[in-house]
Amino acid sequence: MGTPTTNNPTESKIFPVKTPDRKEITRGEIAVLDQKCFDVKNLNPGKIQANCGKASAIYIQKAVKLALNGKIDAITTSPISKKALNKSGFRYPGHTEFLGKLTKTK
């Protein structure tokens, strides 16, 4: 997501928020609801890590809960490591199936 005039994602402001309050967000900004489930000091880029898979699952679960409760209008996901997700104990072929389970969609 870029700014209204450039569509350049590097120009977007990314910032943490405590609640999904729409008043805090303006166009060209990306608010991240920090779940405090991951310490970037423990990140090993290029390695499949269970803690990364667990963090992905936690963020997906929180997003679905907020959407189902009407606190947010939509969710979006980016590519996640299916191997890391499974390594953390979540047994789904991918996050699409995980979303289906969370939303009771067949």
Side-chain angles (χ1 to χ4, degrees), residues 6-103:
T6 65
N7 201 30
N8 184 342
T10 61
E11 294 181 23
S12 294
K13 178 183 173 190
I14 300 172
F15 61 99
V17 294
K18 293 181 182 177
T19 64
D21 186 351
R22 292 173 183 90
K23 292 179 249 175
E24 294 184 47
I25 306 166
T26 61
R27 189 170 181 171
E29 294 182 334
I30 301 170
V32 176
L33 189 59
D34 190 356
Q35 297 299 290
K36 309 230 183 277
C37 60
F38 186 78
D39 186 346
V40 293
K41 292 181 219 164
N42 298 325
L43 181 64
N44 292 310
K47 305 283 185 198
I48 297 169
Q49 297 174 256
N51 59 341
C52 294
K54 183 176 180 181
S56 294
I58 289 169
Y59 278 98
I60 291 168
Q61 288 171 320
K62 182 66 173 185
V64 168
K65 182 178 178 181
L66 289 168
L68 291 176
N69 289 328
K71 302 291 184 186
I72 59 174
D73 296 323
I75 65 172
T76 183
T77 61
S78 57
I80 62 171
S81 169
K82 293 172 187 165
K83 288 181 182 178
L85 189 65
N86 289 326
K87 195 172 184 179
S88 70
F90 291 86
R91 302 289 178 228
Y92 298 95
H95 60 289
T96 302
E97 294 82 3
F98 187 35
L99 287 166
K101 170 78 171 159
L102 294 171
T103 60

